[in-house]
Amino acid sequence: MLRSLVGSEMCIRDRKNIMEELRDKLLDWAKQFETPDFIKDDPIFFPHKYNDKKDIEISAFLTSWIAFGNRKLIMQQAEILDNLMGNSPYAFIMNKVWEQYKENTNTFYRMFTYHDFFCICQRLYNIYQEWDDLEVFYEGYNNVIREIQTDFGGVKGIPKLERDSPCKRICLFLRWVVRKSPVDLGIWNIIHPTELYIPLDAHVAKMAHQLGITTRKTEDWKMVQQVTNYMKTIFPDDPCRGDFALFGYSTVSYTHLRAHETPEH
């Protein structure tokens, strides 16, 4: 009986040590990778080009809309998108330059067509025609993610309300515009960083599984909550900082793997 109790205490102590070690590593990775140098190779580079709030919002919203798949391809398409909008995304929307893409079934990005691009631009136009900016439009709502799903419902790439989607790209957009950090834009004040959720995709889910942060097999909203709640124990005032910690883990792991690969002869 005594041996069993001692063994149990040792297991608890070992688990506590492992959790503390992981906590320290996540803090280190976040500090190491959330730097201005991160921006140049990330889609957030494009909204960072602008100074006007409305230009930043529109660039961020549309860039986050296509932020899925291979990182290199995302950057290529984000540059095409940025070039389409010229020197001002706001002017592009309000001057209805996007109307030329109506019914255009050519591929815009992956499964998106130019008509899908037309549809999301049309929704943005309707909002900016009546409101000063997106932040003012969403002020006062308790669940901005759900409101975006409602206002852009039917646009390809915007998750349907009835599905338990992780809403990765909406969460990414909100991370960008809410957090004031060396990387993120921090132009919104209507949401506090503690209210943000981790932008979850297959890669983030894989990292979270490897670190024991989540046990869920399905990449759904429950997994988003589980990973975000864990990050709140590490970064209580800013759980989305954990996004950079997971990026750091994936980068370190990849570097370690490449270093141990057997060279071909």
Side-chain angles (χ1 to χ4, degrees):
M1 180 69 175
L2 179 61
R3 184 178 297 172
S4 177
L5 285 172
V6 170
S8 178
E9 287 178 2
M10 288 181 67
C11 286
I12 292 171
R13 193 181 306 119
D14 288 344
R15 177 166 174 75
K16 185 177 179 181
N17 289 339
I18 290 169
M19 291 177 68
E20 287 180 354
E21 183 180 351
L22 175 57
R23 177 183 180 276
D24 291 342
K25 284 184 177 179
L26 288 169
L27 288 166
D28 285 344
W29 287 327
K31 184 178 180 181
Q32 181 180 351
F33 287 94
E34 190 179 17
T35 67
D37 191 55
F38 180 92
I39 295 170
K40 69 181 188 305
D41 298 317
D42 189 80
I44 201 173
F45 168 81
F46 295 96
H48 263 293
K49 293 173 64 176
Y50 301 100
N51 296 312
D52 180 80
K53 182 181 179 181
K54 291 187 280 287
D55 284 333
I56 296 170
E57 282 182 337
I58 293 168
S59 175
F61 193 81
L62 292 175
T63 303
S64 65
W65 178 60
I66 61 168
F68 64 100
N70 179 277
R71 190 181 179 88
K72 184 178 179 181
L73 293 179
I74 294 169
M75 292 297 289
Q76 289 175 357
Q77 187 60 31
E79 185 172 11
I80 292 170
L81 168 64
D82 189 65
N83 290 335
L84 278 180
M85 295 189 291
N87 296 323
S88 171
Y90 178 69
F92 174 84
I93 293 297
M94 300 314 293
N95 292 334
K96 297 186 178 182
V97 182
W98 42 271
E99 283 193 326
Q100 65 186 294
Y101 302 116
K102 186 176 182 180
E103 308 298 341
N104 186 331
T105 57
N106 291 330
T107 300
F108 181 71
Y109 177 66
R110 299 190 66 174
M111 76 284 288
F112 295 166
T113 66
Y114 274 87
H115 180 72
D116 296 322
F117 178 57
F118 161 86
C119 290
I120 197 169
C121 289
Q122 186 179 49
R123 301 292 178 92
L124 286 169
Y125 173 81
N126 292 339
I127 292 172
Y128 282 99
Q129 193 177 33
E130 300 290 335
W131 299 83
D132 288 341
D133 54 55
L134 278 180
E135 182 181 24
V136 173
F137 180 67
Y138 285 113
E139 189 171 6
Y141 289 105
N142 292 326
N143 190 337
V144 175
I145 293 173
R146 190 174 183 85
E147 294 303 323
I148 291 174
Q149 285 181 274
T150 300
D151 297 324
F152 290 85
V155 174
K156 190 177 286 186
I158 302 297
K160 295 181 179 179
L161 281 166
E162 61 269 22
R163 295 183 182 172
D164 198 23
S165 168
C167 297
K168 181 254 183 172
R169 283 163 282 169
I170 298 176
C171 290
L172 181 64
F173 166 72
L174 292 176
R175 195 206 85 194
W176 285 355
V177 296
V178 170
R179 294 182 71 248
K180 296 175 174 64
S181 81
V183 173
D184 290 324
L185 302 158
I187 58 172
W188 280 19
N189 296 303
I190 60 169
I191 300 172
H192 192 274
T194 55
E195 301 173 77
L196 295 173
Y197 290 90
I198 292 286
L200 182 84
D201 57 15
H203 185 67
V204 171
K206 181 181 178 182
M207 300 300 105
H209 271 294
Q210 289 179 0
L211 292 169
I213 292 172
T214 182
T215 55
R216 290 190 62 78
K217 294 181 180 179
T218 306
E219 294 158 24
D220 56 11
W221 187 250
K222 290 184 178 66
M223 184 186 281
V224 173
Q225 291 175 312
Q226 192 174 56
V227 174
T228 302
N229 287 337
Y230 178 85
M231 289 304 175
K232 284 183 177 179
T233 69
I234 313 294
F235 311 98
D237 298 324
D238 187 11
C240 272
R241 189 142 203 248
D243 202 12
F244 294 93
L246 292 175
F247 177 83
Y249 167 69
S250 70
T251 302
V252 170
S253 299
Y254 177 75
T255 303
H256 180 77
L257 181 66
R258 290 295 300 271
H260 289 79
E261 284 181 348
T262 303
E264 294 183 3
H265 296 284

